[in-house]
Structures are given as C-alpha cells and as structure tokens.
Amino acid sequence: MAERPLPPASLRAGLRAATAVTRVLGPLRYTLADAVGLGVYALQPERRRRATANHRRARTGRDDAEARRWARRSFREYGRTTVDFLWANHLDQARVRRMSNILGQDHIDAALDGGKGGVFALAHHGNWDMAANVATAYGIELTTVMGPVGTEWITELVVWAREQNQLEVFTPDNAARGLVRALRRNRFVCLLCDIPESGPTVVVDYCGGPVEFSAVPAWLALRTGTPVMPVECYRTGRRRYQIRCNAPVEVNEGDDEATVMQRVARVLEEGVHRHPGQWYPFRPFYADDR
C-alpha cells in the first residue's frame, strides 16, 4: 500500500491532547459524553425526530414514548462511542484485553485454519472502532475501507489514528484489490454494511423495512470462498466491551449477493434488538422513507 501523507502536525497534536484529557477524566469521560449527546438531542430536532421514527419502525409494538426513550439513549451512547474513540487511541493492548472479551473465538480460529481469512460484517451499532482495538489486542489482523469523514484533514486524521491502532485502511477507490490481497494473506476484512458510502449495494429487509446494504462482503465471499461472519461490539456496563462473532452465514452455490447479505442482515438486526440504545439511526435509513 502506498505511503499515506501524515495529517497536519497541529491535528495530530490536538488528537493526542484530547486522548490525554479523556485518560485523565477516566470514567468521568462518560458524564461529559452524556451531556454532549443529550445536548445534541435537544438542539437538533430533525435528527431527533428521525431517530425516534427509526426506533419506532425497527421494533413491532414499540410506541412513540418508548421510541423517544431509545432515541435519547442512542444520542447519549453515540457520545460515549465518540469519546471512547479518543480515549482508546494507542491504548495499551494488555489494558484492552482486561476490559474486553470475545464470544465466538472458535469461528475466528476456524477461519484462520482455513487459510482464506474472513470477512467481519458489522452495522452502525455499538462501537466499531473499539471492535478493531479489541481484535488487534487479541492478535487478529484487520483490514478495512474508510470513506470521507467530514473535511479532508479530518478524514486523514481518523485514518491516521486507526492505522496507529494497527488497522490496515484502504480508501474506496483502491479497496477491491486491497481487500482480496488481505484475504489471501489470511487477514480479516471488517466492513460496515448498513450505510454504504460507495461500491455495489443490495436492498435487504432489516430492522423493520428495506435498507440498502453494501454487497462487498458477499462479493468477497462468492469470489474467494472466505467465510462471512456478522459481528457486533457493544458496551456492557460502564467500562467493558464485548465482541460477539457469530457463526458464518451460509454461502451456497447459486447464491447471489442479495441472498447472502439478507442472511447477514438477519443476524445483525438481532444485535440491534438486544441493545437498541447502542444503535445510531440519526438519518433517513429506510429505502422507502427517503
């Protein structure tokens, strides 16, 4: 992979300073994150209404009051996810292991024994950056794709931070070959599926309606024979994270990408139902509701 230019020194210094502040705050960082998250909930009525509507649709029988409660929780939890991105930057791996565990390690081991790597399919649920930190701390080598996040400088900063945490990152324009090469090196490709930034997509039934999913996990599985495992990483209590690596979905001869991704979606939505407050549906989400 070509050498990537470093983000400006001032941004790198700012990230290190923010990380230092969150480390000093310790558990109090969540108090700050809650205040910011709830402040955004109060000040952004359109996102608030959208999150409430999506929570209501995601679960049959959920009324308006319950949907509003989960929407508030989503804003608060997203604040915690954001502050933990700062807190965990370049965090000691022994410390990461002490505050986390992995369910489904046998699925990961089986994929490694197969020699073709594996595809971890995630949704915007829980904390995907912490999932990468935990996986790396347990010796799992990861490759991913990342599109723009805000301005060009902010994108460069986030990519740099993730690479500092031992994550191999490709941009969408050079991802296909890079992902295939990663699998051939017996690495794991981790991809967020439910809000695709680029590449081929399919529409699946997910959380109560039709949702556009990235087809890339299925595309890789059908072309390389690598297993696709739906994965979630969620907070348990205030200071622990748990990764759930589910069994690989079926990929049969004659399947198309939509069929495979529908199986992935069915498993991922179970995670959203288990931990709805750690789902972040802040924008138009359903294909028939845009």
Side-chain angles (χ1 to χ4, degrees):
M1 188 168 59
E3 187 81 13
R4 203 187 307 276
L6 288 174
S10 58
L11 288 181
R12 284 180 279 141
L15 177 60
R16 293 191 186 102
T19 296
V21 169
T22 58
R23 300 271 176 88
V24 169
L25 286 172
L28 289 176
R29 69 185 182 276
Y30 287 148
T31 302
L32 174 63
D34 289 352
V36 172
L38 293 174
V40 174
Y41 175 85
L43 296 173
Q44 296 193 359
E46 180 55 37
R47 294 182 76 196
R48 180 174 71 239
R49 285 192 292 269
R50 177 57 57 186
T52 300
N54 290 338
H55 269 291
R56 184 171 57 245
R57 184 169 182 177
R59 193 72 168 182
T60 302
R62 183 175 286 164
D63 61 21
D64 288 348
E66 185 182 3
R68 284 194 296 272
R69 286 196 299 272
W70 285 121
R72 284 194 298 272
R73 182 70 175 269
S74 290
F75 277 86
R76 192 183 77 181
E77 290 287 348
Y78 190 72
R80 294 186 176 195
T81 291
T82 303
V83 81
D84 271 353
F85 168 76
L86 300 172
W87 175 81
N89 182 43
H90 235 182
L91 191 65
D92 175 72
Q93 292 188 352
R95 188 173 181 183
V96 174
R97 289 193 295 272
R98 287 195 300 271
M99 58 175 287
S100 64
N101 67 297
I102 299 177
L103 299 177
Q105 180 71 49
D106 54 325
H107 304 312
I108 298 171
D109 294 340
L112 288 172
D113 291 343
K116 297 180 180 180
V119 178
F120 292 151
L122 298 88
H124 285 80
H125 171 248
N127 190 326
W128 44 95
D129 279 303
M130 189 59 71
N133 289 339
V134 173
T136 301
Y138 282 89
I140 302 168
E141 296 181 319
L142 297 178
T143 299
T144 193
V145 180
M146 192 188 116
V149 181
T151 67
E152 181 179 353
W153 282 1
I154 295 298
T155 299
E156 291 176 357
L157 182 67
V158 174
V159 170
W160 176 77
R162 288 174 174 169
E163 289 179 338
Q164 292 297 297
N165 288 333
Q166 310 304 312
L167 192 64
E168 182 181 43
V169 182
F170 288 98
T171 56
D173 57 344
N174 66 355
R177 290 182 181 179
L179 297 181
V180 172
R181 285 197 299 266
L183 294 173
R184 288 173 179 165
R185 286 151 46 211
N186 209 22
R187 294 176 67 92
F188 287 85
V189 169
C190 50
L191 298 169
L192 288 163
C193 300
D194 58 332
I195 306 179
E197 298 288 346
S198 61
T201 63
V202 295
V203 175
V204 300
D205 185 63
Y206 176 71
C207 290
V211 176
E212 191 175 31
F213 261 45
S214 170
V216 174
W219 183 89
L220 289 169
L222 292 168
R223 282 156 182 79
T224 68
T226 195
V228 179
M229 290 164 277
V231 170
E232 58 192 284
C233 178
Y234 47 90
R235 199 169 11 262
T236 59
R238 289 180 66 85
R239 306 182 192 180
R240 288 194 62 80
Y241 278 93
Q242 182 163 277
I243 288 182
R244 179 190 292 267
C245 180
N246 294 283
V249 300
E250 290 184 20
V251 180
N252 302 314
E253 185 177 354
D255 283 344
D256 59 13
E257 292 165 358
T259 300
V260 175
M261 293 313 299
Q262 182 61 71
R263 293 176 186 139
V264 170
R266 282 284 175 248
V267 180
L268 290 178
E269 75 176 356
E270 292 173 4
V272 173
H273 294 329
R274 279 192 295 269
H275 303 281
Q278 295 184 49
W279 184 44
Y280 314 118
F282 303 138
R283 58 166 140 174
F285 184 69
Y286 297 99
D288 60 356
D289 193 30
R290 294 178 181 173

